[in-house]
Amino acid sequence: MDIGCKVLVFFTCFLTVTAEIYIVTMEGEPIISYKGGDNGFEATAVESDEKIDTTSELVTSYARHLERKHDMLLGMLFVEGSYKKLYSYKHLINGFAAHVSPDQAEMLRRAPGVKSVDRDWKVRKLTTHTPQFLGLPTDVWPTGGGYDRAGEDIVIGFIDSGIFPHHPSFASHHTTVPYGPHPSYKGKCEEDPHTKISFCNGKIIGAQHFAEAAKAAGAFNPDIDFASPMDGDGHGSHTAAIAAGNNGIPVRMHGYEFGKASGMAPRARIAVYKALYRLFGGFVADVVAAIDQAVHDGVDILSLSVGPNSPPATTKTTFLNPFDATLLGAVKAGVFVAQAAGNGGPFPKTLVSYSPWITTVAAAIDDRRYKNHLTLGNGKMLAGIGLSPSTRPHRSYKMVSANDVLLGSSGMKYNPSDCQKPEVLNKNLVEGNILLCGYSFNFVAGSASIKKVAETAKHLGAAGFVLVVENVSPGTKFDPVPSCIPGILITDVSKSMDLIDYYNVTTSRDWMGRVKDFKAEGSIGDGLEPILHKSAPEVALFSARGPNTKDFSFQDADLLKPDILAPGSLIWSAWSANGTDEANYIGEGFALISGTSMAAPHIAGIAALVKQKHPQWSPAAIKSALMTTSTVIDRAGRPLQAQQYSETETVTLVKATPFDYGSGHVNPSAALDPGLIFDAGYEDYIGFLCTTPGIDAHEIKNFTNTPCNFKMVHPSNFNTPSIAISHLVRTQTVTRRVTNVAEEEETYTITSRMEPAIAIEVSPPAMTVRAGASRTFSVILTVRSVTGAYSFGQVTLKGSRGHKVTLPVVAMGQRR
């Protein structure tokens, strides 16, 4: 917005400047950490892993006090109408978001009582068969009373693009036991502004939207973004159904059923906090407000399929900014947070989730793959992908190229080979034949879609279609797309050349190049049935990789990320009828899409099952159970592999490392009974920050309202179920504390192994841990040779009663 010349306090004159959104943090503690002493207000602080009692008069009165202070500061500095306050943050951080000019932001920085002023930055989305793949129906759901009790009374909050409440995955009647009132959740339900019907139904227990920053920035369009929790994108409905969608929902498209969909915790409640939008993603000010509200309302789990577009402009460290500080407050309040690792793989240091209090989730390819083939008239069989029925068996069809069946010169305005406009193609020449189309950059950019190709071919009466990829950029990802008629995408350029050569040789033309006779023939196979692979799971090509970084100079952190691997490739789940995020699924009820966005809600749903069984466990305990019981072996018994680029830029498989998968692929049944856990609380997180070199203690206090403690000595001593040392000089001893959460005493044998450049020892070699008791052990790492690369290993604790706990170890030896 433009602000004309106005006389403000301090007689400051702002001349036609553009306002921006800033997040301001204030002196004075937020509700979660306030210990009393401010104007007679009594303490509201909670212990680590304890929920905020937002019904308490102490909490509500202190909240009003903080908001009044925010308003007073703005009112003293600026003339009314020259600024707009968007949110007051009171529960997890003390501050506010405001739409002000850069000069006004500078005045705020200098104002008494202000600790930091951060210009807002954008975030983006990090875009079924998996319950069976993960063993939930047979090994996990029965332990909680069956699928109709799996996740009972656990509330999962989704910071995403909203929800399509009319989808059967979210129907409250699709259950044998009706949903009653929740015993503790206090969130509200917005109504659809057009129908006046609530978005909630018992299954969906809360639904709110946050768009003040988006509106102030001029990015919000109510016609497509919806000023309500309605999902105008599809992404939010997809992630919510992965975590907590109803069980046994038929996935039907184009008359074919691809199976039954289910969430990981089908009885869990869904709380929607819409802060992401179709065209622009979202703003951190809106996301922080959504997180703050979710914790206030009493969610148990937060699922975040969102990450920053770019680093915050004013913070030096990855761990300290309004977004991560708010999530630290959420974890202090006992909320487990799962966040997508990011989709920047397979390149190193591409993570967008950094902090130790967050569970960072990488994406795996599961055992289900879809393939198809095109058989040419010369007998050659070309592999491709396409979720479609076959052409009629034992019959071949003529193939006609879109470029050869144009209606005059009408198609020259467009790219006719894209096959997006049936009106530019000659139906008489296409009808009954297979239409050949070209896969251009328009498909990558989103202005063309395979769905539209299928509709064009069907409209023209074609027997099927073939999309030919003639050139491809490294990293282009091809996913199979359901089709209403036989269709296939030939993704291998060499196979595409075989098809083009065959077509050109068999097609006779006159001296002007016009076709005299189409003689190329082919038939399309059945691509509807999946093929199950024993090589699963594998780390997906797009999944972001470590090492983790501690600052935006990309210096390595002494903390392993990602934390864990979960299914994230080709995931069937619910879609919004209004969803426009994927051109191939516009108007559909389900979508098959990939991304770490799909992996994070798998972990959120499985965490709900763990919390249901162990309601008193801290977020760190749940995270530990998931990590220490994960597997680094695939279904064929081999070490996990990761998709990677070869020297020729083709996709190949290499041996995966902890920088690809963290601790390994999630194993839900084992996570319910881990034996030992590595627990941590708020003071441990502060200790990690305080002992990380390069982080200023004053900055830590600004964001956490907590003075530094240095008892941890080194950040690698943070009690997490992994060990990472980025700068190992000579010898370093790392300590870990384990707690026996089993019902009986157990003796554990501790062993270790490491690649040759680093020597590893453990002490003691064995220990007995009573039920409910804790014991400490040490890991000693010594540099043998400096290689300039990380060495990988693991520590294993094997129990006498069958429990097994594994920690990944990564270290790089340095001379000094």
Side-chain angles (χ1 to χ4, degrees):
M1 101 183 176
D2 287 336
I3 303 173
C5 185
K6 294 183 179 179
V7 180
L8 305 181
V9 176
F10 308 131
F11 306 102
T12 306
C13 186
F14 296 94
L15 296 172
T16 321
V17 290
T18 302
E20 297 183 82
I21 300 159
Y22 292 86
I23 299 173
V24 180
T25 53
M26 302 280 291
E27 289 179 0
E29 295 175 336
I31 289 165
I32 198 165
S33 56
Y34 173 60
K35 298 181 177 64
D38 185 352
N39 288 338
F41 289 96
E42 294 187 41
T44 59
V46 300
E47 297 298 319
S48 188
D49 310 319
E50 181 187 347
K51 286 194 173 183
I52 300 169
D53 180 7
T54 53
T55 62
S56 156
E57 175 59 27
L58 294 177
V59 169
T60 56
S61 62
Y62 184 63
R64 288 193 297 269
H65 168 66
L66 291 180
E67 185 157 5
R68 280 196 300 269
K69 289 178 76 171
H70 303 161
D71 294 339
M72 284 174 60
L73 175 69
L74 288 164
M76 284 192 305
L77 287 179
F78 311 125
V79 168
E80 187 177 349
S82 68
Y83 68 91
K84 183 178 182 183
K85 190 188 79 170
L86 307 176
Y87 299 105
S88 272
Y89 306 126
K90 308 175 289 283
H91 301 96
L92 309 179
I93 60 173
N94 174 20
F96 57 87
H99 194 226
V100 297
S101 72
D103 285 342
Q104 287 174 308
E106 191 55 40
M107 289 173 61
L108 281 166
R109 281 193 186 91
R110 297 196 302 266
V114 171
K115 294 199 295 188
S116 66
V117 178
D118 293 272
R119 193 178 66 209
D120 198 352
W121 65 105
K122 279 190 174 183
V123 294
R124 64 176 181 268
K125 298 162 299 202
L126 301 169
T127 314
T128 199
H129 158 83
T130 46
Q132 288 73 26
F133 179 67
L134 295 169
L136 297 179
T138 53
D139 301 332
V140 178
W141 292 343
T143 67
Y147 75 84
D148 54 351
R149 292 291 183 189
E152 183 77 67
D153 283 340
I154 304 297
V155 180
I156 306 177
F158 296 89
I159 313 293
D160 216 300
S161 66
I163 199 162
F164 186 68
H166 315 298
H167 197 282
S169 288
F170 312 124
S172 58
H173 60 263
H174 194 87
T175 176
T176 55
V177 182
Y179 286 101
H182 192 274
S184 60
Y185 180 77
K186 300 174 289 294
K188 64 183 180 182
C189 290
E190 294 182 20
E191 292 182 347
D192 186 302
H194 302 294
T195 65
K196 305 303 179 187
I197 297 173
S198 171
F199 276 82
C200 296
N201 59 6
K203 172 69 173 176
I204 303 170
I205 198 171
Q208 301 170 62
H209 83 288
F210 301 81
E212 293 305 311
K215 290 174 183 175
F220 186 85
N221 180 346
D223 293 334
I224 59 173
D225 294 320
F226 299 105
S228 76
M230 178 62 75
D231 185 3
D233 182 285
H235 191 271
S237 302
H238 200 272
T239 56
I242 290 171
N246 289 325
N247 180 61
I249 305 302
V251 179
R252 293 195 184 101
M253 284 184 72
H254 309 307
Y256 184 80
E257 185 174 307
F258 289 93
K260 301 282 197 297
S262 173
M264 302 297 102
R267 183 67 178 177
R269 311 287 188 109
I270 293 169
V272 178
Y273 299 87
K274 175 179 170 180
L276 300 180
Y277 297 89
R278 164 71 181 99
L279 296 177
F280 57 88
F283 291 83
V284 170
D286 290 330
V287 172
V288 168
I291 296 167
D292 191 73
Q293 188 65 48
V295 175
H296 167 276
D297 294 345
V299 302
D300 300 293
I301 313 282
L302 270 179
S303 180
L304 291 166
S305 294
V306 56
N309 280 356
S310 58
T314 52
T315 55
K316 298 173 187 173
T317 172
T318 51
F319 311 125
L320 288 176
N321 56 72
F323 178 73
D324 283 74
T326 302
L327 290 174
L328 174 58
V331 171
K332 186 181 182 186
V335 177
F336 175 90
V337 178
Q339 185 184 13
N343 294 338
F347 307 106
K349 297 189 181 183
T350 47
L351 295 160
V352 296
S353 175
Y354 317 97
S355 296
W357 45 90
I358 298 168
T359 301
T360 302
V361 189
I365 300 169
D366 65 23
D367 61 343
R368 183 190 56 194
R369 317 286 165 85
Y370 289 99
K371 293 186 177 180
N372 205 342
H373 62 273
L374 171 70
T375 304
L376 302 180
N378 61 7
K380 269 194 176 181
M381 189 178 289
L382 309 181
I385 54 174
L387 287 171
S388 80
S390 67
T391 50
R392 289 175 61 180
H394 314 298
R395 180 179 168 185
S396 290
Y397 295 81
K398 283 186 178 180
M399 296 193 291
V400 299
S401 168
N403 285 331
D404 289 329
V405 293
L406 292 177
L407 282 171
S409 59
S410 59
M412 293 308 159
K413 300 176 190 173
Y414 315 102
N415 187 351
S417 67
D418 284 355
C419 298
Q420 301 296 292
K421 294 185 175 293
E423 63 270 21
V424 304
L425 303 177
N426 188 330
K427 182 174 183 178
N428 293 331
L429 296 176
V430 175
E431 193 168 16
N433 299 322
I434 293 175
L435 179 63
L436 301 184
C437 308
Y439 190 93
S440 69
F441 179 75
N442 293 337
F443 288 87
V444 180
S447 58
S449 70
I450 297 175
K451 177 185 176 77
K452 189 64 179 174
V453 174
E455 290 171 353
T456 295
K458 184 177 182 180
H459 180 83
L460 297 172
F465 69 88
V466 179
L467 261 172
V468 180
V469 178
E470 295 184 61
N471 53 64
V472 61
S473 301
T476 302
K477 184 164 64 76
F478 298 104
D479 286 345
V481 173
S483 168
C484 55
I485 68 169
I488 187 170
L489 173 65
I490 308 295
T491 60
D492 186 323
V493 173
S494 65
K495 298 287 191 296
S496 294
M497 291 301 106
D498 288 344
L499 170 57
I500 292 168
D501 290 344
Y502 167 70
Y503 180 81
N504 287 337
V505 166
T506 56
T507 302
S508 57
R509 301 176 184 272
D510 63 20
W511 65 276
M512 292 185 66
R514 292 174 300 202
V515 174
K516 293 196 295 184
D517 198 5
F518 294 102
K519 292 187 177 178
E521 293 187 342
S523 61
I524 298 169
D526 185 347
L528 292 171
E529 291 298 322
I531 301 165
L532 299 183
H533 279 241
K534 281 190 175 180
S535 61
E538 296 167 358
V539 181
L541 184 74
F542 58 80
S543 186
R545 310 297 210 260
N548 192 15
T549 53
K550 66 182 180 181
D551 57 35
F552 294 110
S553 301
F554 292 95
Q555 292 188 67
D556 292 8
D558 292 312
L559 178 73
L560 180 64
K561 290 283 180 174
D563 292 306
I564 199 162
L565 185 67
S569 179
L570 300 181
I571 305 298
W572 277 114
S573 190
W575 200 246
S576 172
N578 305 308
T580 55
D581 187 41
E582 294 282 342
N584 290 312
Y585 296 100
I586 291 174
E588 303 294 351
F590 293 90
L592 180 72
I593 55 178
S594 303
T596 53
S597 279
M598 285 67 250
H602 277 89
I603 293 299
I606 295 166
L609 300 176
V610 177
K611 182 145 183 94
Q612 180 189 15
K613 184 170 182 181
H614 304 285
Q616 302 307 314
W617 279 13
S618 69
I622 296 171
K623 178 180 178 180
S624 171
L626 295 170
M627 289 177 65
T628 60
T629 58
S630 60
T631 180
V632 294
I633 303 297
D634 70 15
R635 292 293 173 90
R638 300 170 304 197
L640 288 181
Q641 294 182 294
Q643 290 188 329
Q644 185 56 264
Y645 287 128
S646 68
E647 291 182 2
T648 58
E649 297 185 336
T650 57
V651 177
T652 186
L653 288 172
V654 299
K655 183 181 177 183
T657 76
F659 290 146
D660 304 318
Y661 55 66
S663 59
H665 192 274
V666 65
N667 181 352
S669 60
L672 295 177
D673 180 23
L676 300 174
I677 58 165
F678 294 75
D679 209 352
Y682 188 70
E683 289 299 322
D684 298 295
Y685 299 124
I686 300 300
F688 169 83
L689 294 171
C690 294
T691 55
T692 296
I695 302 183
D696 180 71
H698 180 70
E699 188 181 10
I700 294 169
K701 193 168 190 310
N702 271 356
F703 279 101
T704 66
N705 298 287
T706 307
C708 259
N709 72 75
F710 297 94
K711 292 180 290 185
M712 196 174 288
V713 180
H714 192 276
S716 60
N717 288 323
F718 172 68
N719 201 49
T720 191
S722 62
I723 295 172
I725 304 177
S726 61
H727 197 94
L728 177 64
V729 179
R730 294 187 290 276
T731 296
Q732 187 170 325
T733 300
V734 175
T735 58
R736 288 292 184 270
R737 182 184 68 258
V738 292
T739 301
N740 184 357
V741 292
E743 294 178 353
E744 298 180 274
E745 177 180 281
E746 192 162 5
T747 298
Y748 283 86
T749 302
I750 309 176
T751 58
S752 60
R753 60 176 177 80
M754 199 77 186
E755 290 176 342
I758 306 288
I760 187 169
E761 300 174 68
V762 290
S763 177
M767 61 186 184
T768 299
V769 193
R770 298 190 310 275
S774 298
R775 291 286 303 271
T776 299
F777 67 93
S778 299
V779 179
I780 304 99
L781 296 165
T782 303
V783 178
R784 281 179 172 155
S785 60
V786 176
T787 63
Y790 277 94
S791 296
F792 303 103
Q794 69 178 40
V795 174
T796 303
L797 292 83
K798 196 168 184 180
S800 56
R801 296 185 180 277
H803 293 108
K804 184 180 177 183
V805 170
T806 304
L807 290 79
V809 181
V810 302
M812 185 190 292
Q814 309 281 358
R815 299 192 192 280
R816 57 190 176 90

